[in-house]
């Protein structure tokens, strides 16, 4: 494939009368490509998936891909953004969308995320974590984008943990930002291991230890 199929219109050319062109970003075909890409990348990763495979799965004509994305790299970055938006909705729904005590909100997020993995037979992991594992083979543009996503998730989690500190659920000396960073480092490892083992045991092992740490129990 080449990028020569661009449909960009010369700005000096008068538009024909009639219904305005639909924004490509709103096109149903683009949505199908994003959905298919998310499925493939959470299961198999970026390097193992070709554009043709995504096109076949999505049912989008081969010649249409570059109408929406100038390259596979641009497609991959769009998938990161789409996954981030989806995940933030789930994360905020648990951490800020309820009246539960802060640590119970953390448990709610963990339960919902774990249920999502179980629903797909532990075949799908975290797209951002998967791409982080592949970083040595990815375009460099992915690095900053992935780090920014992790930083955003950590900041949202830190706000919840700070509320837990203010309400006395965790020690007043707790560093909410450091705990949030620790959570996401451990969580991503647990998700990777759960996908490998095709079961929830790694998630339970990590989260049980994380909450014991918050309770101030010694780490044995």
């Amino acid at each position: 494939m080449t990028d020569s199929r661009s449909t960009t219109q010369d700005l000096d050319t008068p538009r024909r009368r009639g219904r305005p062109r639909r924004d490509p970003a709103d096109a149903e075909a683009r949505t199908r490509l994003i959905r298919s890409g998310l499925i493939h990348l959470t299961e198999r990763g970026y390097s193992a998936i070709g554009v043709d495979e995504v096109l076949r799965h999505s049912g989008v004509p081969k010649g249409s891909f570059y109408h929406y994305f100038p390259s596979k790299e641009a497609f991959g970055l769009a998938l990161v953004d789409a996954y981030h938006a989806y995940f933030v909705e789930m994360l905020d729904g648990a951490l800020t969308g309820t009246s539960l005590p802060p640590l119970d909100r953390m448990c709610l997020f963990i339960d919902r995320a774990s249920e999502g993995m179980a629903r797909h037979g532990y075949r799908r992991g975290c797209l951002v974590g998967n791409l982080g594992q592949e970083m040595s083979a990815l375009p460099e543009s992915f690095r900053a984008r992935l780090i920014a996503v992790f930083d955003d998730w950590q900041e949202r989690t830190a706000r919840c943990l700070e509320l837990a500190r203010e309400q006395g659920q965790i020690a007043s000396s707790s560093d909410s930002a450091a705990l949030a960073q620790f959570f996401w480092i451990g969580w991503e490892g647990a998700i990777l291991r759960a996908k490998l083992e095709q079961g929830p045991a790694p998630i339970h092992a990590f989260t049980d230890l994380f909450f014991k740490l918050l309770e101030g129990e010694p780490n044995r």
Side-chain angles (χ1 to χ4, degrees), residues 126-211:
C126 171
L127 182 140
V128 178
N130 288 354
L131 291 175
Q133 291 288 316
E134 294 186 77
M135 190 59 231
S136 62
L138 295 181
E140 187 61 26
S141 59
F142 280 78
R143 188 182 304 276
R145 191 75 60 90
L146 296 174
I147 291 173
V149 170
F150 278 133
D151 285 346
D152 182 59
W153 294 352
Q154 287 175 192
E155 288 172 7
R156 293 169 191 272
T157 305
R159 289 196 291 269
C160 183
L161 291 170
E162 180 62 17
L163 187 60
R165 189 187 67 79
E166 292 171 357
Q167 294 184 6
Q169 283 194 292
I170 60 177
S172 60
S173 59
S174 297
D175 186 333
S176 302
L179 286 171
Q181 182 184 49
F182 175 77
F183 174 82
W184 281 102
I185 291 172
W187 175 260
E188 288 298 324
I191 294 301
L192 178 66
R193 185 74 173 265
K195 184 181 177 185
L196 174 66
E197 296 182 9
Q198 296 188 320
I203 298 174
H204 295 160
F206 166 69
T207 55
D208 287 350
L209 187 60
F210 178 75
F211 284 109

